[in-house]
């Protein structure tokens, strides 16, 4: 399992993990969309809640996660559960189903740095390139056309970070024995080195030979 606040670099690290370890990336948001699109029994239940603008209940989501983890590709390659569980009730529900990670990765970045990373992001609507005013400055000729995403403001970022912190606080107790905190302030490659070392260690513990 991997968890990290908005702008902690979780998306980049997930891509690197999948590339190196060949795990199946499982995002609950993607599963929800697929099940709704495919009209499965769980998908129909979820759509009913989504259409009403209500959170999909844990038991419906857990049913979907359980069914995805039972599929052949996951059984063969293993799984990387991204950003889930997000609450104590979700952690408890998947724990009851016997779904437990060998490793729980928590990418830690101070709130102020997360805000700085988010607020400085700019999108070039022509090329789709993403720049950062401080860390990845745009070339002068495109500055005039750059846009800021509507949810990349300081206020909205702080709300998202606070929500993430509350969610993580609620679930870490379930995974203390398998949790590894990763310093997300380092470079992307250095962060991945730390993640790789933790994953290799977890694999060795599970299968010493």
């Amino acid at each position: 399992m991997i968890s990290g606040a908005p702008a902690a670099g979780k998306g980049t690290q997930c891509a690197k993990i999948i590339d190196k370890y060949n795990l199946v990336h499982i995002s609950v948001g993607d599963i929800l969309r697929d099940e709704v699109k495919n009209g499965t029994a769980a998908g129909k239940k979820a759509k009913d809640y989504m259409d009403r603008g209500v959170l999909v209940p844990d038991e419906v989501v857990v049913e979907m996660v359980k069914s995805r983890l039972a599929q052949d590709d996951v059984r063969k390659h293993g799984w990387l559960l991204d950003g889930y569980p997000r609450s104590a009730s979700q952690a408890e529900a998947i724990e009851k189903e016997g779904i437990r990670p060998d490793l729980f990765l928590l990418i830690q970045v101070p709130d102020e740095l997360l805000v700085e990373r988010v607020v400085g992001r700019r999108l070039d609507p022509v090329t789709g390139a993403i720049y950062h005013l401080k860390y990845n400055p745009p070339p002068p000729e495109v500055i005039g056309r750059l846009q800021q995403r509507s949810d990349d403001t300081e206020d909205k970022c702080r709300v998202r970070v606070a929500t993430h912190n509350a969610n993580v606080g609620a679930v870490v107790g379930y995974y203390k024995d398998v949790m590894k905190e990763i310093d997300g302030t380092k470079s992307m490659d250095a962060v991945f080195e730390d993640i790789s070392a933790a994953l290799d260690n977890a694999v060795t513990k599970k299968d010493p030979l």
Side-chain angles (χ1 to χ4, degrees):
M1 289 176 179
I2 187 166
S3 180
K10 181 165 67 73
T12 303
Q13 298 304 330
C14 280
K16 286 175 173 285
I17 292 168
I18 293 152
D19 188 47
K20 179 173 178 180
Y21 293 93
N22 207 21
L23 297 170
V24 179
H25 182 230
I26 295 176
S27 149
V28 169
D30 291 346
I31 294 180
L32 263 173
R33 283 186 285 274
D34 286 348
E35 297 257 350
V36 169
K37 191 173 83 183
N38 297 332
T40 64
K44 284 175 182 162
K45 274 188 216 165
K47 187 174 187 306
D48 178 46
Y49 290 100
M50 288 155 84
D51 288 347
R52 286 185 279 143
V54 183
L55 277 179
V56 180
D58 291 341
E59 62 268 19
V60 177
V61 178
V62 170
E63 191 183 321
M64 291 179 179
V65 171
K66 191 181 169 192
S67 130
R68 182 68 188 91
L69 294 185
Q71 288 172 20
D72 289 346
D73 58 340
V74 180
R75 284 178 176 277
K76 184 178 175 188
H77 298 292
W79 47 266
L80 173 66
L81 195 48
D82 179 358
Y84 189 87
R86 291 187 177 188
S87 66
S89 58
Q90 290 171 353
E92 205 167 300
I94 62 172
E95 189 87 356
K96 274 185 189 153
E97 295 294 343
I99 299 166
R100 187 162 180 80
D102 297 302
L103 182 65
F104 182 93
L105 292 165
L106 178 57
I107 303 178
Q108 295 279 40
V109 178
D111 292 358
E112 293 309 313
L113 181 52
L114 292 169
V115 171
E116 186 185 85
R117 285 181 179 180
V118 167
V119 173
R121 279 197 299 221
R122 294 293 184 274
L123 167 72
D124 182 342
V126 177
T127 64
I130 299 208
Y131 298 100
H132 191 282
L133 299 180
K134 180 175 176 182
Y135 300 110
N136 179 26
E141 63 272 17
V142 306
I143 286 176
R145 68 182 188 222
L146 295 182
Q147 297 173 347
Q148 185 178 32
R149 278 183 11 192
S150 61
D151 58 349
D152 278 354
T153 62
E154 179 170 344
D155 288 349
K156 287 184 179 173
C157 174
R158 287 192 186 279
V159 169
R160 285 177 8 232
V161 168
T163 302
H164 164 79
N165 291 343
N167 290 342
V168 165
V171 303
V172 290
Y174 287 85
Y175 304 113
K176 274 214 165 72
D177 58 326
V178 290
M179 185 169 80
K180 175 71 178 166
E181 294 189 42
I182 301 291
D183 179 358
T185 65
K186 298 180 181 178
S187 72
M188 285 187 292
D189 289 342
V191 170
F192 187 60
E193 274 180 32
D194 291 347
I195 286 175
S196 290
L199 275 163
D200 292 343
N201 188 41
V203 169
T204 306
K205 270 188 191 165
K206 192 176 181 187
D207 185 6
L209 302 176

